[in-house]
Amino acid sequence: MKRSFYILNLLIILLISNSIYAKHIKCKWQEGIGEASIIKDYSSAKMEACARAKWDALEKALGTQINVKSVIENFKLLDEVITKDVKGFITDVKIIKEENLGDAVRVTIKGCVYPQKAEKALSLISRNTMFNVIFIVQDRNNIELDDMNPVNVELINTLTQQGFEVYDFASDPDINPYEIENIISQRRFISLRRLLTRSLAKITIIGKIRFIYRTKAGQNIGYELYSPFNIILAQAQYYLLMKDKGRIRILSSGNVSAKGISSIDEYAKNKALESLAPKLADDILNKIQRYMISKRKFIIVYVKDIKSVSKNFEIKSNLQKLPWVKSVEDLGIGKFRVEYLENPIYLANALESIYGYKILTFSPTRIIINLN
């Protein structure tokens, strides 16, 4: 009798486990629309339109706010990378509508998207040069999320000048500044996962700035002397967070402060923020650069059809301007050793999407391109 009871319990546990697992892996039916110009022939355009439709379905299924179609241009290279790394992220794909527009093809597909695999597929090909930025400002009991404060503006400008792309979370209507303050105070960064999965950015900069009132105008500072100024300290606490295999990892953290002085309270706070902004941006950029150096790798880039030294210099200059490129060594006409700080697939994508070079061969250590 006791044995039967244990077996029955085991069966119930197995049924519940299978039910939970089935829900976990359940795919989501989604339609996607893709369009492509007919340049070579109709069948090639149709293939590209189908690829675009697949990514459209993925975007809709995940609710991502970054348009993959604007990031990725080389669907052939993309499909090759995705097929090797993530299989079955969208299955049972069927064309439910096909339109010949004369100079273009438009297709509507329907497929079953597996959210976890789709997320991994998107992260493999997204531009990891993108950062999320969330900074709240706490003034006594008031907490604000202001995308126009000097700290946000300076940080976004600094990252942009370094070749990064920045998504300012202050513009997201779903973000509650009081919730962000609790997340930072309690270091409950896993609570951000829902928001961060909607963005393809890999790294998030999250922080809060609070004001410390040192001296008020008119305050007795001793010996019957009264301060003519408000002295206010703006203190920033921040974290660099990275999405890593479904988890959120803390890459680094820091505290930076700066002082503002003025006879008017509001002016003193603004001056404190203006002084804090460049110091904070430099501190964060140094932390990012240390992380990038730890990720560096070397890739040999071969360029066909270079017929002059001046053209060789031009190619080298173009390579040096790309995000995540640390250095470029000239190994001779049409051959360069690139010190790169991220997944080599991003370098291949950048060469095609930014400069229009054609990728002939790609591997993690070698890229062969054609200028035309």
Side-chain angles (χ1 to χ4, degrees):
M1 182 71 181
K2 190 178 283 188
R3 187 182 175 194
S4 299
F5 175 75
Y6 285 141
I7 292 172
L8 180 61
N9 274 346
L10 181 60
L11 285 171
I12 290 170
I13 291 167
L14 285 171
L15 285 170
I16 292 171
S17 300
N18 285 338
S19 175
I20 292 170
Y21 181 70
K23 285 182 182 177
H24 182 67
I25 64 166
K26 188 177 180 181
C27 68
K28 181 177 180 180
W29 285 99
Q30 188 69 59
E31 287 188 9
I33 300 173
E35 192 172 304
S37 299
I38 301 173
I39 298 172
K40 294 180 180 178
D41 53 65
Y42 185 87
S43 59
S44 297
K46 182 180 174 181
M47 283 176 63
E48 185 174 327
C50 286
R52 290 178 182 272
K54 270 198 246 181
W55 291 111
D56 184 52
L58 259 64
E59 289 171 7
K60 289 174 182 173
L62 293 179
T64 180
Q65 295 177 333
I66 307 300
N67 191 332
V68 178
K69 293 190 291 295
S70 67
V71 175
I72 299 298
E73 298 296 331
N74 189 328
F75 290 100
K76 188 176 180 182
L77 177 64
L78 172 62
D79 282 341
E80 181 184 336
V81 173
I82 296 302
T83 301
K84 286 178 181 176
D85 291 291
V86 187
K87 295 180 181 177
F89 60 90
I90 180 168
T91 60
D92 301 321
V93 178
K94 293 180 181 178
I95 296 175
I96 58 176
K97 189 176 181 181
E98 180 179 334
E99 300 170 86
N100 186 340
L101 306 176
D103 59 348
V105 181
R106 182 188 297 140
V107 297
T108 304
I109 62 102
K110 189 172 184 179
C112 212
V113 178
Y114 288 84
Q116 281 194 333
K117 288 189 175 184
E119 218 174 284
K120 186 178 177 184
L122 288 175
S123 66
L124 278 169
I125 50 79
S126 66
R127 276 185 182 172
N128 273 17
T129 58
M130 180 170 280
F131 287 78
N132 296 321
V133 174
I134 317 172
F135 260 96
I136 59 169
V137 178
Q138 182 177 6
D139 188 3
R140 295 188 172 96
N141 293 324
N142 184 45
I143 298 173
E144 293 182 346
L145 190 64
D146 180 11
D147 59 342
M148 292 308 293
N149 78 62
V151 171
N152 262 25
V153 172
E154 179 73 23
L155 183 55
I156 289 169
N157 285 343
T158 300
L159 289 171
T160 303
Q161 287 164 11
Q162 292 293 317
F164 301 114
E165 293 177 84
V166 183
Y167 176 66
D168 185 0
F169 260 29
S171 60
D172 193 314
D174 292 336
I175 288 186
N176 182 331
Y178 289 90
E179 184 184 349
I180 295 298
E181 199 282 327
N182 284 331
I183 288 170
I184 294 170
S185 298
Q186 299 175 29
R187 290 165 55 100
R188 291 186 298 104
F189 300 119
I190 194 65
S191 305
L192 286 170
R193 192 178 184 282
R194 177 182 59 83
L195 287 169
L196 299 188
T197 51
R198 289 165 50 193
S199 166
L200 296 182
K202 188 174 184 180
I203 296 177
T204 293
I205 303 167
I206 183 172
K208 73 173 179 178
I209 301 159
R210 67 188 184 101
F211 293 113
I212 301 171
Y213 293 79
R214 288 286 176 82
T215 307
K216 283 189 71 70
Q219 179 180 330
N220 188 334
I221 55 176
Y223 302 102
E224 297 301 319
L225 296 173
Y226 296 88
S227 173
F229 300 112
N230 294 288
I231 302 175
I232 298 175
L233 193 71
Q235 189 177 66
Q237 175 189 8
Y238 72 87
Y239 295 90
L240 295 183
L241 307 176
M242 184 178 75
K243 290 189 290 188
D244 184 17
K245 297 177 182 176
R247 300 179 180 179
I248 295 177
R249 181 158 64 94
I250 300 174
L251 285 183
S252 188
S253 62
N255 286 280
V256 181
S257 59
K259 188 166 56 176
I261 303 173
S262 176
S263 57
I264 301 172
D265 184 85
E266 205 60 38
Y267 288 176
K269 286 191 284 189
N270 285 336
K271 285 185 176 181
L273 287 176
E274 287 170 0
S275 298
L276 176 68
K279 291 175 67 176
L280 180 62
D282 287 345
D283 194 64
I284 289 174
L285 195 60
N286 285 336
K287 302 277 177 60
I288 291 169
Q289 286 173 342
R290 282 206 291 272
Y291 162 72
M292 289 178 0
I293 288 169
S294 71
K295 302 287 287 182
R296 67 183 177 182
K297 52 188 68 68
F298 294 95
I299 305 158
I300 304 298
V301 176
Y302 298 88
V303 185
K304 290 186 170 292
D305 300 326
I306 293 184
K307 295 181 171 62
S308 66
V309 174
S310 60
K311 191 65 178 177
N312 207 64
F313 279 126
E314 180 189 324
I315 301 298
K316 183 179 179 181
S317 175
N318 286 345
L319 286 169
Q320 287 172 329
K321 292 174 187 174
L322 293 173
W324 299 113
V325 170
K326 180 70 175 174
S327 65
V328 180
E329 183 183 354
D330 191 339
L331 301 179
I333 297 292
K335 187 177 180 181
F336 306 93
R337 187 172 181 259
V338 179
E339 184 182 358
Y340 198 62
L341 305 176
E342 257 301 344
N343 190 326
I345 188 61
Y346 307 133
L347 176 60
N349 274 331
L351 289 167
E352 289 220 327
S353 61
I354 296 174
Y355 295 124
Y357 301 152
K358 184 178 181 182
I359 305 295
L360 300 177
T361 302
F362 168 78
S363 78
T365 58
R366 187 177 65 136
I367 298 174
I368 301 177
I369 63 174
N370 198 325
L371 299 182
N372 301 316

Coordinates of all heavy atoms in Angstrom, one line a residue, residues 34-36 44-45 47-56 59 67-83 125 349 352:
G34 N 7.6 40.8 -44.7 CA 8.9 41.2 -45.3 C 8.8 41.7 -46.7 O 8.0 41.2 -47.5
E35 N 9.6 42.7 -47.0 CA 9.6 43.2 -48.4 C 11.0 43.4 -48.9 O 11.9 43.7 -48.1 CB 8.9 44.6 -48.4 CG 8.5 45.1 -49.8 CD 7.7 46.3 -49.7 OE1 6.6 46.3 -49.0 OE2 8.1 47.4 -50.2
A36 N 11.3 43.1 -50.2 CA 12.6 43.3 -50.8 C 12.5 43.8 -52.2 O 11.6 43.4 -52.9 CB 13.4 42.0 -50.7
S44 N 15.5 35.6 -55.8 CA 16.4 36.1 -54.8 C 15.7 37.2 -53.9 O 15.9 37.2 -52.7 CB 17.6 36.8 -55.5 OG 18.3 35.9 -56.3
A45 N 14.9 38.0 -54.6 CA 14.2 39.0 -53.8 C 13.2 38.3 -52.8 O 13.0 38.8 -51.7 CB 13.4 40.0 -54.7
M47 N 13.5 35.4 -51.4 CA 14.2 34.8 -50.3 C 14.6 35.9 -49.3 O 14.4 35.6 -48.1 CB 15.6 34.2 -50.8 CG 15.4 32.8 -51.5 SD 16.9 32.2 -52.1 CE 17.9 32.0 -50.6
E48 N 15.0 37.0 -49.7 CA 15.3 38.1 -48.8 C 14.1 38.6 -48.1 O 14.1 38.9 -46.9 CB 16.0 39.3 -49.6 CG 16.4 40.4 -48.6 CD 17.2 41.5 -49.3 OE1 17.9 41.2 -50.3 OE2 17.1 42.6 -48.9
A49 N 12.9 38.7 -48.8 CA 11.7 39.1 -48.2 C 11.2 38.1 -47.1 O 10.8 38.5 -46.1 CB 10.6 39.3 -49.3
C50 N 11.4 36.8 -47.4 CA 11.1 35.8 -46.4 C 12.0 36.0 -45.1 O 11.5 35.8 -44.0 CB 11.3 34.4 -47.0 SG 10.0 34.0 -48.1
A51 N 13.3 36.2 -45.4 CA 14.2 36.4 -44.2 C 13.7 37.6 -43.4 O 13.7 37.6 -42.2 CB 15.6 36.6 -44.7
R52 N 13.4 38.7 -44.1 CA 12.9 39.9 -43.4 C 11.6 39.6 -42.6 O 11.4 40.1 -41.5 CB 12.7 41.1 -44.3 CG 14.0 41.6 -44.9 CD 13.7 42.7 -45.9 NE 15.0 43.2 -46.5 CZ 15.7 44.2 -46.0 NH1 15.3 44.8 -44.9 NH2 16.8 44.6 -46.5
A53 N 10.7 38.8 -43.2 CA 9.5 38.5 -42.6 C 9.7 37.7 -41.3 O 9.0 37.8 -40.3 CB 8.6 37.7 -43.5
K54 N 10.7 36.8 -41.3 CA 11.1 36.0 -40.2 C 11.5 36.9 -39.0 O 11.0 36.7 -37.9 CB 12.2 35.0 -40.5 CG 11.7 33.7 -41.0 CD 12.9 32.7 -40.9 CE 13.4 32.2 -42.2 NZ 14.5 31.3 -42.1
W55 N 12.3 37.9 -39.3 CA 12.8 38.8 -38.2 C 11.7 39.7 -37.7 O 11.6 40.0 -36.6 CB 14.0 39.6 -38.7 CG 15.2 38.7 -38.9 CD1 15.8 38.3 -40.1 CD2 15.9 38.0 -37.9 NE1 16.8 37.4 -39.8 CE2 16.9 37.2 -38.5 CE3 15.7 37.9 -36.5 CZ2 17.7 36.4 -37.8 CZ3 16.6 37.1 -35.8 CH2 17.6 36.3 -36.4
D56 N 10.8 40.0 -38.6 CA 9.6 40.8 -38.2 C 8.7 40.0 -37.2 O 8.3 40.5 -36.2 CB 8.8 41.2 -39.5 CG 7.6 42.1 -39.1 OD1 7.8 43.1 -38.5 OD2 6.4 41.7 -39.5
E59 N 10.5 40.0 -33.9 CA 10.4 41.3 -33.2 C 9.0 41.4 -32.5 O 8.9 41.8 -31.3 CB 10.6 42.4 -34.1 CG 12.0 42.6 -34.6 CD 12.1 43.6 -35.8 OE1 11.1 44.2 -36.1 OE2 13.1 43.7 -36.3
N67 N 14.7 47.7 -34.0 CA 14.4 47.2 -35.3 C 15.5 46.4 -35.9 O 16.5 47.0 -36.3 CB 13.9 48.3 -36.2 CG 13.2 47.8 -37.4 OD1 13.5 46.7 -37.9 ND2 12.4 48.5 -38.0
V68 N 15.5 45.1 -35.9 CA 16.6 44.3 -36.4 C 16.8 44.6 -37.8 O 18.0 44.5 -38.3 CB 16.3 42.8 -36.2 CG1 17.4 41.9 -36.7 CG2 16.1 42.5 -34.7
K69 N 15.8 44.9 -38.6 CA 16.0 45.1 -40.0 C 16.9 46.3 -40.3 O 17.5 46.3 -41.3 CB 14.6 45.3 -40.7 CG 13.7 44.0 -40.7 CD 12.5 44.1 -41.6 CE 11.5 45.1 -41.0 NZ 10.9 44.7 -39.7
S70 N 16.9 47.2 -39.4 CA 17.7 48.4 -39.6 C 19.2 48.1 -39.2 O 20.1 48.9 -39.5 CB 17.2 49.6 -38.8 OG 17.3 49.4 -37.4
V71 N 19.4 47.0 -38.4 CA 20.7 46.7 -38.0 C 21.4 45.7 -38.9 O 22.6 45.8 -39.2 CB 20.6 46.1 -36.5 CG1 22.0 45.6 -36.1 CG2 20.0 47.1 -35.6
I72 N 20.7 44.7 -39.4 CA 21.3 43.7 -40.2 C 20.9 43.8 -41.6 O 19.7 43.9 -42.0 CB 20.8 42.3 -39.7 CG1 21.2 42.1 -38.2 CG2 21.4 41.2 -40.5 CD1 22.7 42.1 -38.0
E73 N 21.9 43.8 -42.5 CA 21.6 43.9 -43.9 C 22.0 42.6 -44.6 O 21.4 42.3 -45.6 CB 22.5 45.1 -44.5 CG 22.1 46.4 -44.0 CD 20.7 46.9 -44.3 OE1 20.2 46.4 -45.4 OE2 20.1 47.6 -43.6
N74 N 23.0 41.9 -44.1 CA 23.4 40.7 -44.8 C 22.7 39.4 -44.3 O 23.1 38.8 -43.3 CB 24.9 40.5 -44.6 CG 25.5 39.4 -45.5 OD1 24.8 38.4 -45.8 ND2 26.7 39.6 -45.9
F75 N 21.6 39.1 -44.9 CA 20.8 38.0 -44.4 C 21.4 36.6 -44.6 O 21.2 35.7 -43.9 CB 19.4 38.0 -45.0 CG 18.5 39.2 -44.5 CD1 18.4 40.3 -45.3 CD2 17.9 39.1 -43.3 CE1 17.7 41.4 -44.8 CE2 17.2 40.2 -42.8 CZ 17.0 41.3 -43.6
K76 N 22.2 36.6 -45.6 CA 22.9 35.3 -45.9 C 23.9 35.0 -44.8 O 23.9 33.9 -44.2 CB 23.7 35.4 -47.3 CG 24.2 34.0 -47.7 CD 24.9 34.2 -49.1 CE 25.5 32.9 -49.5 NZ 26.1 33.0 -50.9
L77 N 24.7 36.0 -44.4 CA 25.6 35.8 -43.3 C 24.9 35.6 -42.0 O 25.3 34.7 -41.2 CB 26.5 37.1 -43.2 CG 27.5 37.1 -42.1 CD1 28.6 36.0 -42.3 CD2 28.2 38.5 -42.0
L78 N 23.8 36.3 -41.8 CA 23.0 36.2 -40.6 C 22.5 34.7 -40.5 O 22.6 34.1 -39.4 CB 21.9 37.2 -40.7 CG 20.8 37.1 -39.6 CD1 21.4 37.3 -38.2 CD2 19.7 38.0 -39.9
D79 N 21.9 34.2 -41.5 CA 21.3 32.9 -41.5 C 22.3 31.8 -41.2 O 22.1 30.9 -40.4 CB 20.6 32.5 -42.8 CG 19.2 33.2 -42.9 OD1 18.7 33.6 -41.9 OD2 18.7 33.3 -44.1
E80 N 23.6 32.0 -41.7 CA 24.7 31.1 -41.5 C 25.0 31.1 -40.0 O 25.2 30.0 -39.4 CB 25.9 31.5 -42.3 CG 27.1 30.6 -42.2 CD 28.3 31.1 -42.9 OE1 28.1 31.8 -43.9 OE2 29.4 30.7 -42.5
V81 N 25.1 32.2 -39.4 CA 25.5 32.3 -38.0 C 24.4 31.8 -37.1 O 24.7 31.0 -36.2 CB 25.8 33.8 -37.6 CG1 26.0 33.9 -36.1 CG2 27.0 34.3 -38.4
I82 N 23.2 32.1 -37.4 CA 22.1 31.7 -36.6 C 21.9 30.1 -36.7 O 21.6 29.5 -35.7 CB 20.8 32.4 -37.0 CG1 20.9 33.9 -36.7 CG2 19.6 31.8 -36.2 CD1 21.2 34.2 -35.2
T83 N 22.0 29.6 -37.9 CA 21.9 28.2 -38.1 C 22.9 27.4 -37.2 O 22.6 26.3 -36.7 CB 22.0 27.8 -39.6 OG1 21.0 28.5 -40.3 CG2 21.8 26.3 -39.8
I125 N 23.1 38.5 -33.1 CA 23.3 39.4 -34.2 C 23.1 40.8 -34.0 O 23.3 41.7 -34.9 CB 22.5 38.9 -35.5 CG1 21.0 38.7 -35.1 CG2 23.0 37.6 -36.0 CD1 20.2 39.9 -35.0
N349 N 29.4 42.4 -39.8 CA 28.2 43.2 -40.0 C 28.5 44.7 -40.2 O 27.9 45.3 -41.1 CB 27.2 43.1 -38.8 CG 26.3 41.9 -38.9 OD1 26.0 41.4 -40.0 ND2 25.9 41.3 -37.8
E352 N 29.8 45.5 -43.7 CA 28.8 45.5 -44.7 C 27.8 46.7 -44.6 O 27.5 47.4 -45.5 CB 28.1 44.2 -44.7 CG 28.9 43.0 -45.3 CD 28.1 42.1 -46.1 OE1 26.9 41.9 -45.9 OE2 28.7 41.5 -47.1

